[in-house]
């Protein structure tokens, strides 16, 4: 089929994942002719954010396998010296999908509810105090109950991330967004709470000066020790001998040598250094520095979270690419790569030959022969819609928790609420990500069991109202008094899972993507395990500098008021404002 | 290519910016002239109000124009709409310059004087909003104090607000200061408040010992402690009775006893009265409800005059703080604020060996914080003098011997009112105002030998002074004329290096003897 797309480009980018989009923007920004294609009708690929309906559609596609119903293009578009390589779909395969509802499809009607109430426990409100009739009270009660239909009816209020990630406030992505002036396309919220899991309960980690001052979790001496240690890490320079003798040891061993209490060790090791028992000392110090240097720029934690979900970010770069003349075509798959002499000449798409100097593509779209051996690493992902925060306070929180697992990578838990526009009011969204060992359900089980209430909720009983509930963490003081009782209380305070989705997807950040590709083809990894975007930005920079070694990577884009249009005089008569546009 | 985006070159940009600036400047000049002309024509209408609005929005600090607006507003008896517009204007101006004195003042003035029904609660919310944006804007904190009192916001709420601000960043003098104001306003110094505030400060100290704001708040908390006694000494001199206090008497306190004539004030801490028929030998200080605060018999000396009034409970807490400061100093031996507070607390609580300990740590402070060593010298002088007084309060002692204590300042000199022989030799009084000696009214012999004195400026008129030892100083000859004020001065002792005798003699009373040793 013929279409009106120009047929020659300097750069063709296939897939709108994070790395691909950054490269597309960078190329377009320096004046290269860019074509950006995506087979899907949405941006982002494995980096996308979905409404509830869109997620269901995506799941269907994953389950059924995408139909690659292309017809092998006949030769006129491919010359004799050239070879046509079919584009694959290998790594978009999302597997081990487990989807589960924990609430009924529909709430029982008022009548049913009334009869159900009789079987309820004694202390359930038999009479409402504010003079409402029983039915009205029930209806009111119904507002706080959830059913599948209700969630689906609010489906458009969800932005469910396939690859939830945070930005370090002084990380490379934030600096890039600022230096390139792309930041105006996005909005962010500060993560305002770092939690950790210690002695079977959640605790808020004091990570900034203000936190250390305010926390009641640590004693006075500990406050000083913690501040001293953090200052030491911030000011650390390789010349100083502070870590001498610990180069071959673990961070844990270093912290032990400083005589820190167990409490502080836990905070520093698992939450601030984002490490585990085996992390080498200097790696841990570097991570601590990165964490601390991002503190205080935008808030009391080092992290930012994009409003409307992380799927916004690739789109910001696509938008810049388009502003500088990049051509976009969604729902347009590339069918094959045409190569000659270990060089990519063009791609075939929808019956057209599109020539290019450089081809950039996500691993999900790469032909199998570009990849060599199959990468084995994978991510275990969980997305949970829950009815309250994992640790409620009087204000809505945006939370990061690195849930430590003995001897393994921690489970990264991100919880976002309605004010970040990722879920409707009254609900929270919980994302879990970890390295795949077994499958998503089993890999995430420790965190799910610890944090969430995963019994089926029949929808007729109301659980403890959290509107006025103080935090779980503040309850620590009296936990020793009646631990049995508080365990029951904690259990009932845990958020109820309403909907859970588990899946596994490949992780290719460790994988050498340049081995088997033609010299002008550049493959981009999918989402990596790390909590931030450092990897994607680094990869995009390195691809760009391979393509255009002498050009600046994403120089500052001008603001609209700095721009003037250069109108080509020969293009035709200028628009006359007095003339009414005529309808055809 | 059609319609390609073109980025303007920087030179073109600069020229455009310059043109823009010139245009703005011309507009500004024209407007300001227009406004001043209107004022000179006494135009007090809405139009005049409108004319200066843009001006203030670009520069909110032109006080004259705000004053003109005040004149107009008082003249107009403005509608609610005009008042709201005016409030909105100040709001906009404060966005331009959040620290504009005149804009803050105008807003306050407007609500106080023009607005018939000012909404102070809204103002309070506005303050909260502003302070969340700029937590250390003291203009807004000051305004908040006014607003909170106008809308009678409960102290507890304000305390809660300051607490929130302190929790988000405790390096905030304004917030701590407001807390001190709120506690003072509440009247009674609740012991429990003091204790909880002290623990707050402790938390800040351990988090960041180099941040001053909390330490200074702690000094306020400790500084509120007062000595338990008022009266140091009551004694007769000829036909008068002198009463020496250790601090100024509060206004509503009264002195009673020892006859009917009224007590007169000689100095804020020295009172006297004529000796008439004495009805009792006791003197009392009573407060506004006639409660006896302190009393002493005539010709007596109060022991422990510098001991502070500390309840057992508070003493316990302060002792705890002393311990934790000790721990903090183990971890941060060079923290000046921790060390200074440690010294202050030691001196407040006076545990065993406190004096030696204080001196040792003051010496350390002088080294650590050498820029403020004079402050520490003066602090040490005060401690030395108080210590001497506390240990030498024998009533019959005529002489004071403060020789060689390294004093740099005179404290409590009024307590030596009755002493005839005072030795201040071998100290460093080079930077001290000799005027502090004015209360040594009974002194007959005074030694200022080797005190690094360079002049005798402000040497007081000591009418009983007979012998003055000024050896080993470098006093300019001309300043000896100050001594002519001492009418009984018979002898000045000098050393051989100091003589330009004829010049000195020109300056002083011929009857005074100069002895050279």
């Amino acid at each position: 089929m013929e279409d009106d797309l120009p047929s020659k480009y300097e750069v063709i980018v296939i897939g709108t994942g994070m790395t691909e989009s950054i490269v597309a923007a960078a190329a377009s920004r320096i004046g290269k002719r860019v074509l950006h294609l995506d087979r899907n009708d949405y941006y982002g690929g494995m980096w996308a954010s979905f409404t509830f309906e869109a997620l269901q559609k995506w799941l269907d596609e994953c389950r059924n396998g995408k139909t690659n119903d292309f017809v092998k293009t006949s030769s006129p578009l491919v010359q004799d010296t050239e070879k046509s390589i079919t584009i694959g779909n290998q790594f978009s395969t999302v597997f081990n999908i487990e989807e589960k509802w924990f609430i009924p499809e529909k709430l029982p009607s008022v009548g049913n509810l009334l009869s159900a109430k009789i079987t309820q426990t004694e202390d359930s409100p038999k009479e409402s105090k504010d003079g409402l009739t029983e039915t009205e009270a029930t209806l009111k009660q119904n507002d706080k109950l959830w059913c599948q239909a209700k969630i689906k009816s609010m489906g458009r209020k969800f932005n469910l991330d396939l690859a939830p990630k945070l930005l370090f406030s002084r990380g490379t992505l934030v600096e890039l967004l600022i230096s390139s002036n792309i930041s105006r396309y996005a909005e962010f919220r500060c993560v305002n709470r770092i939690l950790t899991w210690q002695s079977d309960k959640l605790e808020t980690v004091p990570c900034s000066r203000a936190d250390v001052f305010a926390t009641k979790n640590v004693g006075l001496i500990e406050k000083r020790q913690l501040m001293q240690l953090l200052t030491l890490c911030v000011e650390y320079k390789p010349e100083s001998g502070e870590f001498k003798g610990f180069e071959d040891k673990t961070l844990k061993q270093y912290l032990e040598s400083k005589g820190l209490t167990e409490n502080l060790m836990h905070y520093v090791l698992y939450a601030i250094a984002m490490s585990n028992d085996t992390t080498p000392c200097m790696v841990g110090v570097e991570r601590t520095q990165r964490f601390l240097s991002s503190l205080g720029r935008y808030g009391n934690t080092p992290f930012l979270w994009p409003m409307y979900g992380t799927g916004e970010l690739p789109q910001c770069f696509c938008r810049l690419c388009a502003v500088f003349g990049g051509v976009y075509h969604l729902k347009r798959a590339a069918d094959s790569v045409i190569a000659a002499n270990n060089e990519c000449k063009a791609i075939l798409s929808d019956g057209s030959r599109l020539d290019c100097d450089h081809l950039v593509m996500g691993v999900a779209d790469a032909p199998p022969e570009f990849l060599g051996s199959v990468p084995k690493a994978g991510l275990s992902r969980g997305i949970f819609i829950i009815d309250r925060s994992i640790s409620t306070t009087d204000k809505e929180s945006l939370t990061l928790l690195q849930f430590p697992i003995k001897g393994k990578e921690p489970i990264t838990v991100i919880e976002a609420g309605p004010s970040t526009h990722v879920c409707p009011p009254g609900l929270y969204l919980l994302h879990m990500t970890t390295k795949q060992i077994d499958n998503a359900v089993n890999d995430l089980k420790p965190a799910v069991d610890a944090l969430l209430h995963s019994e089926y909720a029949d929808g007729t009983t109301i659980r403890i109202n959290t509107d006025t509930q103080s935090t779980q963490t503040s309850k620590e003081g009296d936990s020793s008094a009646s631990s049995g009782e508080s365990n029951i209380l904690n259990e009932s305070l845990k958020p109820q899972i309403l909907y859970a989705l588990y899946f596994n997807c490949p992780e290719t950040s460790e994988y050498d993507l340049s081995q088997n590709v033609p010299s002008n083809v550049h493959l981009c990894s999918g989402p990596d395990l790390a909590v931030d975007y450092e990897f994607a930005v680094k990869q995009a920079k390195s691809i760009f500098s391979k393509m255009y070694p002498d050009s600046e990577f994403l120089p500052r884009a001008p603001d609209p008021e700095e721009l003037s249009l250069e109108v080509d005089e020969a293009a035709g008569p200028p628009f006359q404002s007095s003339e009414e546009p005529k309808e055809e | 290519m059609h319609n390609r985006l073109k980025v303007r070159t920087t030179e073109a940009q600069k020229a455009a910016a310059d043109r823009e600036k010139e245009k703005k400047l011309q507009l500004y000049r024209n407007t300001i002239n227009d406004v001043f002309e209107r004022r000179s024509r006494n135009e007090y209408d809405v139009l005049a109000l409108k004319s200066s609005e843009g001006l203030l929005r670009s520069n909110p600090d032109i006080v004259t124009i705000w004053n003109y607006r005040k004149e107009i507003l008082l003249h107009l008896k403005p509608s609610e709409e005009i008042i709201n517009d005016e409030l909105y204007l100040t709001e906009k101006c404060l966005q331009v310059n959040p620290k504009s004195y005149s804009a803050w003042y105008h807003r306050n003035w407007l609500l106080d004087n023009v607005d018939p029904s000012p909404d102070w609660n809204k103002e309070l919310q506005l303050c909260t909003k502003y302070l969340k944006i700029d937590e250390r804007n003291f203009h807004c904190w000051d305004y908040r104090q006014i607003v909170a009192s106008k809308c009678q916001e409960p102290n507890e709420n304000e305390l809660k607000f300051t607490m929130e601000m302190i929790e988000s960043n405790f390096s905030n003098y304004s917030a701590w200061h407001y807390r001190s104001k709120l506690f003072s306003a509440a009247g009674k110094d609740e012991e429990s408040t003091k204790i909880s505030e002290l623990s707050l400060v402790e938390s800040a100290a351990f988090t960041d010992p180099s941040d001053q704001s909390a330490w200074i708040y702690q000094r306020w908390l400790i500084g509120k402690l007062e000595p338990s006694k008022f009266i140091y000494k009551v004694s007769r001199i000829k036909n008068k009775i002198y009463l020496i206090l250790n601090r100024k008497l509060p206004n509503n306190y009264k002195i009673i006893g020892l006859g009917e004539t009224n007590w007169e004030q000689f100095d804020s801490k020295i009172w006297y009265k004529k000796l008439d028929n004495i009805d009792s030998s006791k003197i009392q200080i009573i407060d506004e409800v006639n409660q006896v605060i302190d009393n002493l018999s005539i010709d007596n000396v109060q022991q422990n005059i510098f001991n502070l009034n500390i309840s057992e409970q508070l003493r316990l807490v302060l002792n705890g703080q002393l311990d934790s400061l000790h721990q903090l100093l183990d971890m941060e031996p060079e923290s000046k604020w921790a060390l200074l507070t440690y010294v202050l607390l030691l001196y407040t609580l006076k545990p065993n060996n406190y004096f030696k300990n204080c001196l040792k740590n003051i010496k350390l402070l002088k080294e650590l914080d050498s820029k403020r060593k004079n402050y520490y010298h003066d602090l040490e002088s005060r401690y030395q003098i108080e210590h001497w007084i506390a240990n030498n309060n024998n009533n019959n002692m005529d002489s004071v011997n403060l020789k060689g204590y390294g004093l740099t300042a005179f404290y409590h000199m009024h307590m030596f009112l009755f002493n005839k022989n005072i030795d201040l030799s071998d100290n460093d009084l080079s930077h001290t105002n000799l005027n502090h000696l004015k209360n040594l009214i009974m002194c007959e012999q005074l030694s200022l030998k080797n005190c690094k004195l360079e002049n005798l400026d402000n040497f007081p008129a000591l009418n009983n002074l007979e012998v003055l030892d000024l050896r080993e100083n470098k006093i300019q000859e001309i300043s000896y004329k100050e001594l002519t004020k001492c009418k009984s001065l018979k002898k000045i002792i000098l050393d051989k290096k100091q003589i330009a005798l004829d010049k000195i003699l020109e300056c002083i009373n011929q009857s005074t003897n100069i002895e050279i040793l």
Side-chain angles (χ1 to χ4, degrees):
Chain A
M1 185 192 112
E2 288 291 315
D3 61 16
D4 53 356
L5 272 184
S7 63
K8 283 194 168 24
Y9 298 92
E10 284 160 298
V11 181
I12 292 180
V13 183
I14 300 169
T16 51
M18 192 68 192
T19 312
E20 299 93 298
S21 302
I22 298 175
V23 175
S28 172
R29 179 69 186 85
I30 57 166
K32 304 295 170 191
R33 264 174 298 130
V34 176
L35 173 67
H36 204 167
L37 302 178
D38 196 310
R39 67 165 76 243
N40 302 308
D41 58 357
Y42 53 85
Y43 283 92
M46 278 308 287
W47 305 76
S49 298
F50 292 129
T51 63
F52 199 79
E53 296 88 329
L55 182 74
Q56 299 298 320
K57 197 177 151 218
W58 178 79
L59 286 171
D60 282 345
E61 280 175 33
C62 291
R63 288 196 189 101
N64 304 330
K66 281 172 200 157
T67 44
N68 271 357
D69 53 346
F70 68 92
V71 186
K72 192 161 170 84
T73 327
S74 50
S75 47
L77 294 172
V78 183
Q79 293 166 21
D80 295 344
T81 53
E82 294 172 341
K83 181 173 78 162
S84 169
I85 308 160
T86 307
I87 279 178
N89 191 14
Q90 188 178 0
F91 292 104
S92 68
T93 325
V94 172
F95 39 97
N96 298 334
I97 295 172
E98 284 276 344
E99 199 188 9
K100 196 175 174 192
W101 284 103
F102 291 82
I103 43 173
E105 243 174 86
K106 283 201 175 99
L107 279 181
S109 66
V110 173
N112 290 346
L113 241 182
L114 283 176
S115 61
K117 274 174 74 81
I118 297 163
T119 62
Q120 277 175 42
T121 47
E122 281 304 305
D123 53 2
S124 67
K126 285 248 164 74
E127 268 174 31
S128 63
K129 283 167 195 158
D130 29 292
L132 299 170
T133 68
E134 191 109 340
T135 326
E136 278 170 332
T138 313
L139 283 172
K140 209 172 171 192
Q141 214 175 24
N142 259 2
D143 288 347
K144 301 209 165 171
L145 295 173
W146 293 96
C147 63
Q148 298 179 21
K150 195 166 160 189
I151 295 221
K152 284 175 183 162
S153 74
M154 295 175 164
R156 290 175 63 84
K157 298 217 157 146
F158 286 97
N159 277 302
L160 302 146
D161 302 330
L162 294 185
K165 280 182 179 296
L166 302 174
L167 292 80
F168 272 107
S169 298
R170 288 199 187 276
T172 49
L173 184 53
V174 169
E175 298 301 350
L176 180 62
L177 287 169
I178 294 170
S179 68
S180 63
N181 211 0
I182 294 174
S183 51
R184 64 201 149 126
Y185 298 142
E187 276 182 90
F188 297 91
R189 283 256 158 155
C190 294
V191 170
N192 57 4
R193 188 168 66 165
I194 309 276
L195 294 180
T196 189
W197 180 259
Q198 188 181 205
S199 334
D200 290 332
K201 57 180 192 280
L202 285 172
E203 280 180 22
T204 307
V205 177
C207 49
S208 66
R209 206 174 80 125
D211 290 348
V212 174
F213 167 68
T215 184
K216 302 213 164 27
N217 288 353
V218 302
L220 284 176
I221 301 291
E222 287 181 307
K223 286 185 182 198
R224 187 84 290 267
Q225 282 185 319
L226 183 56
M227 287 300 288
Q228 276 183 335
L229 184 78
L230 299 183
T231 316
L232 199 79
C233 289
V234 171
E235 290 167 359
Y236 165 72
K237 288 196 183 65
E239 310 84 88
S240 81
E242 174 58 32
F243 298 98
K244 216 168 173 191
F246 287 95
E247 290 91 343
D248 312 329
K249 298 203 169 117
T250 63
L251 179 63
K252 192 175 182 189
Q253 283 169 315
Y254 169 74
L255 296 177
E256 277 163 354
S257 81
K258 295 300 266 189
L260 296 192
T261 60
E262 209 167 300
N263 202 16
L264 287 189
M265 286 255 290
H266 185 97
Y267 290 157
V268 175
L269 190 60
Y270 300 116
I272 294 172
M274 300 170 77
S275 300
N276 61 21
D277 296 358
T278 57
T279 308
C281 179
M282 296 323 291
V283 173
V285 171
E286 204 180 296
R287 289 189 195 166
T288 309
Q289 274 190 320
R290 186 181 58 175
F291 184 100
L292 296 173
S293 62
S294 281
L295 273 180
R297 187 176 201 183
Y298 302 114
N300 269 339
T301 79
F303 299 106
L304 293 180
W305 166 257
M307 301 268 276
Y308 308 98
T310 50
E312 289 293 301
L313 289 173
Q315 291 184 56
C316 295
F317 287 92
C318 293
R319 185 164 175 191
L320 185 86
C321 177
V323 164
F324 282 87
V327 176
Y328 274 78
H329 205 325
L330 294 188
K331 281 204 304 198
R332 173 96 182 221
D335 304 321
S336 54
V337 177
I338 296 170
N341 302 327
N342 192 31
E343 200 176 311
C344 167
K345 297 287 182 197
I347 63 162
L348 292 184
S349 165
D350 217 0
S352 306
R353 178 188 169 112
L354 304 166
D355 291 338
C356 62
D357 299 341
H358 287 280
L359 177 65
V360 177
M361 62 200 310
V363 276
D365 291 297
E369 43 269 70
F370 283 3
L371 290 163
S373 65
V374 178
K376 286 202 180 64
L379 293 180
S380 282
R381 286 275 298 116
I383 301 176
F384 306 91
I385 299 171
I386 53 180
D387 68 342
R388 68 186 59 166
S389 168
I390 51 174
S391 176
T392 48
T393 53
D394 45 358
K395 275 186 236 149
E396 182 186 323
S397 297
L398 181 55
T399 308
L400 170 68
L401 159 67
Q402 301 270 108
F403 191 92
I405 307 283
K406 211 164 176 55
K408 289 186 199 162
E409 294 284 334
I411 298 173
T412 300
V413 181
I414 296 171
E415 184 192 74
S419 69
T420 63
H421 298 285
V422 297
C423 61
L427 296 178
Y428 278 85
L429 210 57
L430 197 70
H431 284 288
M432 293 191 192
T433 311
T434 194
K435 192 174 176 169
Q436 183 185 1
I437 307 285
D438 184 3
N439 61 45
V441 174
N442 290 340
D443 290 342
L444 301 176
K445 195 171 185 314
V448 172
D449 286 349
L451 302 172
L452 303 174
H453 186 80
S454 51
E455 301 284 309
Y456 184 80
D458 62 6
T460 54
T461 45
I462 279 221
R463 300 170 60 235
I464 293 176
N465 185 6
T466 50
D467 294 351
T468 53
Q469 206 74 46
S470 56
T471 63
Q472 270 169 270
T473 42
S474 71
K475 292 222 176 299
E476 288 147 29
D478 39 67
S479 67
S480 57
S482 52
S483 62
E485 203 175 297
S486 78
N487 273 346
I488 294 165
L489 187 66
N490 280 348
E491 190 61 35
S492 64
L493 275 170
K494 279 182 185 177
Q496 166 73 48
I497 309 181
L498 309 180
Y499 169 86
L501 169 67
Y502 296 91
F503 62 88
N504 287 100
C505 59
E507 212 266 12
T508 50
S509 65
E510 306 264 313
Y511 187 73
D512 183 2
L513 295 170
S514 60
Q515 242 173 349
N516 301 302
V517 293
S519 60
N520 61 342
V521 173
H522 312 277
L523 296 190
C524 306
S525 300
D528 56 318
L529 179 62
V531 72
D532 54 47
Y533 286 96
E534 306 296 300
F535 181 80
V537 176
K538 215 172 120 194
Q539 193 177 43
K541 267 188 191 164
S542 110
I543 290 175
F544 178 81
S545 69
K546 244 193 261 167
M547 294 182 344
Y548 303 107
D550 301 323
S551 299
E552 195 184 342
F553 179 70
L554 282 170
R556 184 178 174 279
D559 287 319
E561 58 269 25
E562 297 162 350
L563 297 171
S564 60
L565 283 174
E566 194 179 69
V567 181
D568 190 339
E569 293 299 331
F575 177 70
Q576 305 273 308
S577 57
S578 57
E579 275 180 27
E580 287 292 322
K582 279 170 195 155
E583 299 230 349
E584 290 197 5
Chain B
M1 291 285 264
H2 307 290
N3 298 345
R4 284 293 279 188
L5 289 174
K6 183 186 169 204
V7 182
R8 251 186 229 153
T9 60
T10 45
E11 240 173 61
Q13 262 175 320
K14 193 175 170 289
D18 283 350
R19 273 200 304 280
E20 199 61 28
K21 208 171 150 189
E22 187 55 41
K23 241 165 75 186
K24 261 191 182 164
L25 189 66
Q26 198 50 48
L27 189 71
Y28 185 84
R29 284 195 184 122
N30 291 345
T31 323
I32 206 161
N33 287 337
D34 174 54
V35 172
F36 280 130
E37 270 169 35
R38 283 172 190 275
R39 194 186 193 191
S40 66
R41 289 197 300 266
N42 293 338
E43 284 182 26
Y44 296 130
D45 52 21
V46 181
L47 213 62
L49 219 46
K50 284 263 174 289
S51 67
S52 64
E53 209 177 289
L55 210 53
L56 286 169
R57 283 176 80 149
S58 63
N59 178 6
D61 295 303
I62 320 173
V63 184
T64 316
I65 291 182
W66 286 115
N67 284 341
Y68 180 32
R69 293 184 80 86
K70 288 189 182 83
E71 289 164 14
I72 300 170
L73 288 164
L74 287 176
H75 198 267
L76 266 183
K77 309 242 172 350
S79 65
E80 197 179 322
E81 196 194 332
I82 293 179
I83 294 171
N84 282 338
D85 284 354
E86 193 71 5
L87 284 172
Y88 182 70
L89 175 67
T90 60
E91 215 173 301
K92 283 285 148 196
C93 288
L94 289 173
Q95 277 169 20
V96 174
N97 178 9
K99 297 186 177 173
S100 164
Y101 282 89
S102 30
W104 282 108
Y105 182 76
H106 189 73
R107 192 172 176 90
N108 189 8
W109 177 87
L110 188 71
L111 291 165
D112 262 343
N113 297 286
V114 181
D115 195 338
S117 54
D119 186 350
W120 293 106
N121 284 311
K122 200 180 134 207
E123 292 301 292
L124 198 66
Q125 283 164 19
L126 194 81
C127 286
T128 304
K129 201 170 127 194
Y130 267 64
L131 288 172
K132 291 265 154 85
I133 298 167
D134 182 1
E135 64 209 8
R136 298 204 275 203
N137 186 341
F138 69 84
H139 298 260
C140 191
W141 281 103
D142 281 354
Y143 185 61
R144 190 182 176 96
Q145 286 188 32
I146 298 167
V147 170
S149 78
K150 290 276 186 194
C151 62
Q152 298 179 331
E153 183 72 3
N155 271 0
E156 303 81 70
N157 292 2
E158 288 298 277
L159 282 169
K160 211 174 131 207
F161 175 74
T162 55
M163 197 59 235
E164 266 173 43
M165 297 304 286
I166 286 170
E167 276 187 349
S168 76
N169 179 8
F170 63 83
S171 183
N172 189 334
Y173 290 102
S174 304
W176 290 112
H177 174 67
Y178 191 19
R179 280 182 90 73
S180 74
K181 284 274 183 195
L182 289 164
F183 285 130
S184 300
K188 278 170 258 162
D189 280 324
E190 299 258 340
E191 195 95 333
S192 58
T193 339
K194 191 167 273 177
I195 290 168
S196 70
E197 291 299 289
L198 279 168
S199 90
L200 204 60
V201 169
E202 209 173 30
S203 197
F206 274 81
T207 305
D208 186 355
S210 61
D211 190 275
Q212 301 179 32
S213 54
W215 290 115
I216 285 176
Y217 183 60
Q218 179 172 37
R219 287 193 75 169
W220 177 79
L221 286 168
I222 303 175
K224 296 273 288 177
L225 296 170
E226 289 192 323
S228 45
K229 302 291 180 188
F230 268 101
I231 309 171
Y232 171 58
K233 200 171 189 176
V234 194
S235 246
R236 275 174 274 227
I237 297 175
K238 292 172 193 161
N239 59 345
K240 279 182 191 154
I241 303 177
Y242 279 83
L243 166 66
I244 314 285
L245 304 176
N246 68 353
R247 65 190 187 280
K248 210 179 154 210
L249 216 53
N251 285 336
N252 41 10
Y253 281 32
K254 270 184 292 190
I255 308 164
I256 56 167
L258 302 181
E260 280 157 16
T261 47
N262 280 333
W263 285 92
E264 287 174 66
Q265 206 168 357
F266 180 83
D267 183 82
S268 63
K269 298 174 213 166
I270 303 171
W271 297 70
Y272 69 98
K273 68 183 286 180
K274 268 203 201 121
L275 192 62
D276 52 7
N277 27 337
I278 294 170
D279 47 5
S280 74
S281 65
K282 248 195 180 144
I283 185 165
Q284 293 184 323
I285 288 178
I286 55 171
D287 65 9
E288 67 272 24
V289 288
N290 294 335
Q291 185 109 24
V292 178
I293 300 296
D294 194 11
N295 66 75
L296 195 72
S297 314
I298 192 159
D299 295 329
N300 255 339
V301 180
Q302 178 64 56
Q303 307 294 315
N304 302 327
I305 185 69
F306 298 111
N307 282 12
L308 302 180
N309 194 7
I310 310 170
S311 74
E312 273 317 300
Q313 199 194 1
L314 186 60
R315 185 173 287 276
L316 215 64
V317 173
L318 290 176
N319 272 320
Q321 294 230 312
L322 201 60
D323 287 344
S324 64
L325 271 172
H326 198 86
Q327 284 174 310
L328 182 57
L329 283 168
D330 277 346
M331 303 175 81
E332 302 284 335
E334 302 204 336
S335 166
K336 161 205 159 175
W337 285 100
L339 197 56
L340 177 57
T341 312
Y342 183 65
V343 169
L344 297 175
L345 262 179
L346 265 181
Y347 198 76
T348 304
L349 294 166
K350 302 196 193 319
N352 288 339
N353 258 337
Y354 79 94
F355 193 66
K356 234 172 98 188
N357 226 331
C358 280
L359 294 188
K360 189 182 88 191
N361 286 309
I362 289 178
K363 189 167 168 245
L364 214 57
L365 275 167
K366 287 178 200 165
E367 289 161 17
L368 272 179
D369 187 21
S370 59
K371 281 183 182 158
R372 273 158 287 274
K373 68 172 189 294
N374 288 335
Y375 169 81
Y376 300 119
H377 279 310
D378 284 7
L379 184 69
E380 185 181 350
S381 301
R382 182 161 74 83
Y383 286 0
Q384 289 282 14
I385 292 170
E386 287 181 0
H387 190 247
W388 192 89
I389 292 172
N391 288 290
N392 295 279
N393 49 9
N394 182 342
N395 196 32
N396 301 320
M397 190 178 279
D398 264 349
S399 54
V400 173
N401 184 357
L402 284 168
K403 181 175 156 75
Y405 281 98
L407 304 182
T408 55
F410 305 101
Y411 288 91
H412 308 300
M413 284 296 134
H414 69 288
M415 290 188 177
F416 302 135
L417 183 102
F418 304 103
N419 299 87
K420 289 182 177 156
N421 189 352
I422 296 171
D423 187 355
L424 297 175
S425 61
D426 299 337
N427 288 308
D428 179 2
L429 303 182
S430 53
H431 299 289
T432 311
N433 193 338
L434 290 171
N435 190 39
H436 285 122
L437 301 175
K438 69 174 188 292
N439 290 328
L440 303 177
I441 48 180
M442 294 306 292
C443 180
E444 291 169 5
Q445 295 194 27
L446 175 64
S447 174
L448 297 175
K449 182 186 163 203
N450 187 24
C451 279
K452 301 189 181 160
L453 286 171
E454 281 159 11
N455 60 56
L456 295 172
D457 293 353
N458 295 315
F459 195 90
L462 298 176
N463 284 330
N464 290 312
L465 185 65
E466 291 175 6
V467 181
L468 176 63
D469 189 348
L470 289 173
R471 277 176 294 168
E472 295 172 45
N473 286 302
K474 289 178 181 157
I475 300 167
Q476 301 156 339
E477 290 80 5
I478 186 77
S479 73
Y480 280 93
K481 72 165 186 270
E482 296 278 338
L483 299 179
T484 52
K485 291 183 284 189
C486 304
K487 299 299 175 202
S488 315
L489 190 60
K490 293 196 181 97
K491 186 157 85 180
I492 303 171
I493 307 174
L494 296 173
D495 59 49
K496 281 174 189 149
K497 287 180 207 148
Q498 276 172 308
I499 36 167
L501 247 187
D502 41 346
K503 280 192 185 167
I504 298 173
L505 285 169
E506 268 173 38
C507 292
I508 59 168
N509 200 335
Q510 297 297 325
S511 66
T512 308
N513 217 342
I514 295 185
E515 189 175 311
I516 296 168
L517 291 175

